[in-house]
Amino acid sequence: IVSVHQPHYIPWSGYFDKIDSADVFVDLDTVQYEKNGWQNRNKIKTANGWMWVTVPVRFSFGMDVRDVGIVTDSPWRNKHLQAFRTNYSKAPYFDRYAEYFAGIYDRDWPMLVDLTREMLGFFLDTMGITTEIIRASSLGELPGEPNERLAAIVERLGGDVYLAGSGSRAYINEETFERQGIRVVFQDYHPAEYPQLFDGFIPGLSVVDQLFNTGDNTLEIIRRGRRTRL
């Protein structure tokens, strides 16, 4: 089972379900950077609802996400760390992870993918997800057409099942995969509710919200939302 996704900054729980459901996960760093997407920002919870935390980037139209730089003279690192402290200092597991984030935001990060990969590795290790992670850029030249590219990735990795995101139904051509003996399965994920600070439950937040609130139980709670049949 192979799943593929563009690198995201502090992703939501569905991103980790997609990784945890696969034998191999491919970090798709060879596709075009998406402005105002999830590659450089995500949501956390505050007393007044949710808010964005955004990494300011330098890019030009058509640039691959692996080539996107971070605006290093911006105070974004202090802002993100302070946002975590302000909104999660009273969360049950904040103290457990605070030192890691303080260390991350104390370092310079010239390239966006270096930051997202470092943090992804921490999240996977912390949750106990052992799926093999491969960078698309390490696989050599791939077809330009999206369906052919994805099918080629799965084939090169010896996969026979491609776990696709639920939002990809609009453009996935299953025949392209079937010609190479690959079955397409669409992710079906509905995030399970868990204790959050402040009133009410807001789904779809960054995984940091879950880590600070649920600690060792984070992966178990993520798996409760899985409806995918593989």
Side-chain angles (χ1 to χ4, degrees):
I1 302 170
V2 178
S3 62
V4 181
H5 211 293
Q6 301 165 14
H8 281 185
Y9 178 61
I10 54 173
W12 78 302
S13 58
Y15 193 97
F16 292 96
D17 172 73
K18 195 174 183 183
I19 297 175
D20 185 51
S21 298
D23 298 304
V24 182
F25 174 79
V26 177
D27 183 357
L28 192 61
D29 59 352
T30 56
V31 293
Q32 183 175 318
Y33 173 75
E34 181 183 353
K35 184 181 180 181
N36 297 326
W38 300 94
Q39 294 168 351
N40 70 315
R41 65 177 186 170
N42 225 295
K43 298 176 180 179
I44 64 171
K45 192 176 184 184
T46 76
N48 299 312
W50 63 265
M51 65 172 280
W52 289 111
V53 283
T54 302
V55 180
V57 296
R58 290 192 178 96
F59 72 98
S60 56
F61 180 77
M63 181 180 286
D64 283 355
V65 64
R66 60 179 165 173
D67 298 320
V68 173
I70 294 177
V71 180
T72 54
D73 56 356
S74 164
W76 71 271
R77 292 177 295 156
N78 289 335
K79 288 182 178 179
H80 289 207
L81 184 59
Q82 188 56 47
F84 290 173
R85 287 172 173 164
T86 299
N87 296 292
Y88 293 109
S89 62
K90 295 182 180 180
Y93 296 92
F94 177 80
D95 289 342
R96 177 183 295 186
Y97 306 116
E99 184 176 352
Y100 170 78
F101 288 105
I104 282 294
Y105 294 125
D106 190 47
R107 296 167 57 184
D108 288 327
W109 296 97
M111 303 301 292
L112 181 62
V113 290
D114 291 337
L115 173 66
T116 56
R117 283 173 184 148
E118 159 60 37
M119 298 184 87
L120 178 64
F122 168 75
F123 294 138
L124 296 178
D125 288 345
T126 299
M127 286 187 274
I129 296 175
T130 58
T131 301
E132 182 181 5
I133 309 298
I134 300 288
R135 298 179 185 180
S137 55
S138 71
L139 296 176
E141 189 171 348
L142 294 165
E145 198 280 322
N147 284 276
E148 293 178 1
R149 178 171 56 228
L150 292 169
I153 288 173
V154 178
E155 183 181 42
R156 272 182 212 185
L157 295 172
D160 57 7
V161 175
Y162 171 57
L163 177 57
S166 58
S168 66
R169 292 180 182 273
Y171 64 82
I172 286 290
N173 181 352
E174 296 187 50
E175 292 181 0
T176 302
F177 295 83
E178 290 170 358
R179 286 196 294 269
Q180 299 185 49
I182 299 168
R183 179 168 61 97
V184 177
V185 176
F186 292 95
Q187 182 187 27
D188 185 7
Y189 183 75
H190 303 269
E193 188 168 331
Y194 59 88
Q196 291 179 341
L197 297 179
F198 315 118
D199 293 332
F201 175 73
I202 300 178
L205 299 176
S206 163
V207 71
V208 300
D209 186 86
Q210 277 188 260
L211 279 180
F212 289 144
N213 283 300
T214 63
D216 295 332
N217 298 317
T218 297
L219 181 57
E220 176 190 347
I221 294 170
I222 287 175
R223 287 173 172 171
R224 288 178 195 167
R226 184 177 304 168
R227 304 290 185 272
T228 310
R229 296 188 176 184
L230 292 163

